[in-house]
């Protein structure tokens, strides 16, 4: 199946979330993404969640649709092969993605000396090359202190590695932009990106920094959407739903679905607030919740679902992951983004392809993550023209690994 | 200043976080991103946080470095101008980004009929065109039920619109990939992306879905990093720090900094666990915390900071946003990603450019968001060759708006 990036080749030496996700994003658009793995697997090869026999669901999830070349990177010969792969010829190749320190065989100047026009993207923790991960960045930028219920103490860490995920997509952006530049000018380059900078930039983009500088640092607002009306409520039969009245249209459909307009008008008059203004809905959020809550609590989930969907209310039910997996048709092959794969070490499992749907190419079904070293011989032959006998010799010497 | 995407032109008709962030990402790489705005501003033009006189810090933050054309989109003439802008000639133009329903003047077939090779990216809530926002997606995919302290009830919404942020970068990925395809084949297309699918895909990529299918849905673990050792502790003088021992190297530097090795060895023997294995550090997290906690609680922050930095521990301090803004040099113009801008309606403020640092071009300093309609006359002249007299006539008729 031919993807939108067919023909592009990327070499990846990376671990954890952001850099592998960036590489996988390109792979799921049809780029040939070749991982260079250490013989026994890299830093995240056993990262949890894992199966009972210690196959990492995390690693498999973030390396779908890639090829794997396993090398003894502690040996000069292994490192020499790694450099040769990064610098292998191919008009649409010479793209290198890493989140390891750009030293030794990953040194950009050395690699560029072997291949003009090389594009390398190096992901770092902080911009000085220091160590930082999603959890430390999140602590530093202040999010844990405004998550959770008002009046509570302490920090609430997020559990979704949001900064990693954003950075992962930005890795793909950086490589695509640099590749465009090279196509137009012939010029390669070293693109650098720091996870910590992504966190700081977003805090600026969303207005958090300027708000704080003006003496109004964001406070905890529990489950309430800031600056408009939105929060969770529970139906008569105990189903939690999130409802949102951010735009005026959303707000009016919510009022209509719950027959709230008369009560809201009275409230507006009493408070002297124009509740068609989203900010005033936030100011009156407690009073509005006192109107909305009982209306939802009085009706069954089935009834609420029907009323909300009929009018196009912006809402959804809360699900736990078990429900999501068991019951939600959007989280199944009924959604064309998903397909069922055979993942070595895991078995038959649901796998997501790329959320982007390109009309010029159609969707590429998700493909499994490689076994460690599954493509070593194939790739060394394709990219370096290595004869079978030479591969056998290196294999016997423990320089290269081949699955099975 | 010439950016890595210099020459590219994108027209954007969009609101809220994801689509404008995607457009801004391209703008901060040097693309000419032209917003089409309604005369009085669109759905998010007053979105909080805002200044005292109701200038949206949110809108300004997400529209930096763009141009703004204000049109009466309720009039046929205004919509005709909008379509003409989307379809205006230019080899490196014909890119259109929207998160509005692709109907009326945003209908892809109509637009493509006017301009061969048009690339349109339409961001949707769900893939059926239904309404969904970050908060509803988050509820549906299950994250609020595994955020927060073990044993607690209810849902904990995130406050960082993580799904929007990831999707925003994916918008940029989609446009860059489609532009590459057009450059190679001449073919335009309609790229579609649903916020809900981004959430579902990530839940799959990180292993959450398969873990739940195997009967082990992720539980609440409070501030503990899942699958290894990492959590928050408080120093003798009350400073909260996040420490991470995910990789073996991180774990060993942490043990060294806190002189823990003897205690850890005893614990390993007592529990019969090899604590060099990250998963075992998670299994023994309570016992390890009982060793780590008192060591941190016994020392001042200054002492911990020095010890951790000397050894390269993976850690950071928790800050609230007020501290981040006031005290952190990384969140100031000392960090080359930041600069100081004059934002109309806001004043002098700190602004973040792109975290990506392209060696071939250098950083582009952040530029302010436009005033609504600031570039209407300029853009209509440049792209459509509109003479001044014609612009004046349309302005008098209220079809076009021009700032000041």
């Amino acid at each position: 199946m031919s993807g939108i990036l067919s023909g592009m080749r990327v070499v990846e030496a990376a671990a954890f979330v952001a850099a592998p996700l960036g590489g996988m994003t390109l792979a799921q658009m049809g780029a040939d993404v070749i991982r260079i793995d250490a013989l026994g697997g890299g830093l995240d090869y056993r990262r949890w969640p894992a199966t009972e026999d210690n196959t990492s669901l995390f690693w498999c999830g973030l390396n779908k649709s890639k090829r794997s070349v396993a090398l003894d990177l502690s040996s000069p010969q292994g490192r020499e092969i790694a450099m040769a792969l990064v610098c292998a010829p191919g008009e649409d190749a010479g793209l290198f993605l890493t989140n390891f320190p750009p030293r030794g065989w990953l040194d950009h100047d050395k690699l560029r000396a072997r291949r003009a026009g090389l594009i390398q993207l190096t992901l770092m923790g902080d911009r000085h090359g220091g160590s930082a991960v999603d959890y430390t960045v999140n602590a530093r930028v202040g999010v844990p202190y405004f998550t959770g219920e008002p009046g509570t103490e302490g920090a609430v860490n997020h559990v979704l590695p949001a900064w990693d995920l954003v950075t992962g997509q930005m890795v793909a952006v950086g490589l695509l932009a640099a590749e465009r530049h090279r196509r137009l000018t012939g010029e390669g380059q070293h693109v650098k990106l720091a996870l910590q900078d992504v966190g700081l930039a977003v805090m600026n983009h969303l207005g958090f920094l300027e708000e704080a500088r003006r003496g109004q640092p964001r406070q905890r607002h529990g489950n309430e959407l800031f600056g408009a009306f939105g929060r969770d409520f529970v139906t008569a039969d105990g189903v939690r739903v999130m409802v949102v009245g951010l735009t005026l249209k959303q707000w009016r459909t919510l009022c209509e679905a719950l027959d709230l307009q008369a009560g809201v008008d009275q409230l507006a008059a009493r408070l002297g607030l124009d509740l068609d203004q989203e900010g005033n809905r936030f100011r009156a959020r407690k009073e509005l919740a006192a109107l909305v809550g009982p209306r939802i609590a009085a009706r069954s989930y089935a009834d609420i679902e029907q009323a909300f969907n009929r009018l196009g209310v912006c809402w959804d039910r809360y699900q736990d992951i078990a429900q999501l997996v068991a019951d939600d048709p959007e989280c199944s092959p009924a959604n064309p983004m998903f397909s069922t794969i055979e993942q070595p070490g895991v078995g038959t499992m649901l796998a997501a392809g790329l959320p982007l749907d390109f009309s010029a190419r159609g969707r590429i079904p998700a493909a499994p993550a490689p076994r460690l070293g599954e493509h070593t011989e194939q790739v060394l032959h394709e990219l370096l023209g290595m004869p079978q006998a030479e591969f056998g010799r290196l294999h016997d010497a423990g320089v290269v690994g081949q699955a099975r």
Side-chain angles (χ1 to χ4, degrees), chain A:
Chain A
M1 176 132 347
S2 170
I4 202 79
L5 295 185
S6 277
M8 177 184 282
R9 190 208 302 150
V10 180
V11 174
E12 173 186 307
F16 300 114
V17 178
L21 177 60
M24 187 168 77
T25 300
L26 302 175
Q28 292 199 315
M29 290 190 284
D32 177 18
V33 178
I34 298 169
R35 281 185 61 86
I36 294 179
D37 283 304
L39 284 181
L43 293 172
D44 61 344
Y45 189 60
R46 298 295 177 191
R47 182 96 180 90
W48 285 17
T51 63
E52 294 70 24
D53 58 359
N54 216 14
T55 298
S56 170
L57 299 171
F58 173 97
W59 192 91
C60 290
L62 289 163
N63 292 299
K64 293 191 282 278
S65 296
K66 300 177 188 174
R67 296 201 280 177
S68 168
V69 170
L71 301 173
D72 175 9
L73 293 168
S74 69
S75 78
Q77 274 181 298
R79 292 193 295 266
E80 168 57 31
I81 293 170
M83 292 179 79
L85 290 175
V86 171
C87 300
E91 191 198 347
D92 218 0
L95 289 150
F96 180 43
L97 163 59
T98 186
N99 67 330
F100 301 135
R103 296 189 293 263
W105 71 270
L106 305 105
D107 180 90
H108 180 69
D109 290 338
K110 272 196 236 162
L111 291 167
R112 192 181 47 189
R114 288 175 71 141
R115 181 184 168 124
L118 177 70
I119 293 166
Q120 176 168 351
L121 190 145
T122 299
L123 176 62
M124 303 178 289
D126 69 36
R127 68 189 175 93
H128 308 287
S131 180
V133 298
D134 183 276
Y135 270 71
T136 61
V137 167
N138 201 45
R140 184 168 188 147
V141 301
V143 173
Y145 280 147
F146 62 94
T147 303
E149 287 303 309
T152 57
E153 297 280 311
V156 180
N157 286 356
H158 61 197
V159 293
L160 187 77
W163 302 117
D164 275 339
L165 298 170
V166 176
T167 302
Q169 296 306 316
M170 203 168 266
V171 161
V173 167
L175 286 169
L176 288 170
E179 194 271 340
R180 178 180 186 274
H181 180 76
R182 184 175 66 181
R183 193 171 291 279
L184 295 175
T185 66
E187 188 181 23
Q189 62 185 305
H190 193 185
V191 187
K192 292 181 185 168
L193 177 62
L195 185 69
Q196 185 181 91
D197 279 350
V198 173
L200 292 166
V202 164
M203 294 299 286
N204 179 261
H205 298 338
L206 295 176
F208 290 124
L209 300 185
E210 180 62 15
E211 188 185 34
R213 199 185 62 84
R214 290 166 171 259
Q216 309 250 297
R218 185 67 58 90
Q219 303 298 305
R220 288 190 156 116
H221 293 296
N223 284 349
E224 286 166 343
L225 186 154
F226 180 75
F229 184 76
R231 51 161 281 189
D232 58 326
F233 295 98
V234 178
T235 64
D237 45 351
V239 179
R240 188 180 301 271
V241 293
M242 178 76 204
V243 300
V244 173
L246 176 51
T247 67
L248 187 57
K249 185 179 162 207
Q250 287 167 354
W251 174 238
R252 287 189 170 156
T253 56
L254 180 64
C255 289
E256 188 182 348
L258 297 174
D259 195 19
L260 279 179
Q261 200 56 56
V264 168
D265 290 346
Q266 282 169 22
L267 177 66
R270 179 160 68 81
L271 299 176
L273 288 176
D274 174 5
L275 294 174
D276 281 356
Q277 304 290 321
E278 65 196 73
N280 287 337
R281 293 198 288 277
F282 186 71
R283 290 190 177 99
R285 63 195 181 277
K286 299 297 177 203
E287 294 85 352
L288 288 171
L291 292 176
V292 171
R295 297 291 172 105
I296 292 178
R299 294 162 75 170
S300 70
Y301 175 70
D303 190 13
I304 287 289
E305 180 183 30
Q306 191 191 28
F308 282 3
N309 284 345
R310 187 172 59 83
L311 290 163
V313 172
C314 184
W315 77 289
D316 216 326
R317 73 180 287 183
Y318 285 74
Q319 300 183 109
D320 61 32
I321 308 183
Q323 287 176 296
L324 174 68
V325 168
D327 301 336
D328 192 334
E330 293 300 316
C331 189
S332 82
N335 179 341
M337 182 178 72
F338 282 106
S339 52
T340 301
I341 63 170
E342 289 298 322
Q343 176 63 54
V346 178
T348 305
M349 65 176 283
L350 186 69
L354 195 75
L356 285 160
D357 186 6
F358 293 93
S359 69
R361 276 295 178 269
R363 288 180 179 275
I364 307 180
R371 288 170 298 143
L372 213 57
E374 180 174 344
H375 306 94
T376 310
E377 182 166 11
Q378 180 190 74
V379 168
L380 267 48
H381 180 70
E382 267 180 43
L383 270 62
L384 308 182
M386 185 179 287
Q388 199 174 3
E390 168 75 357
F391 181 82
R393 197 188 60 73
L394 288 168
H395 189 266
D396 292 346
V399 175
V400 301
Q402 175 71 31
R404 281 214 190 120

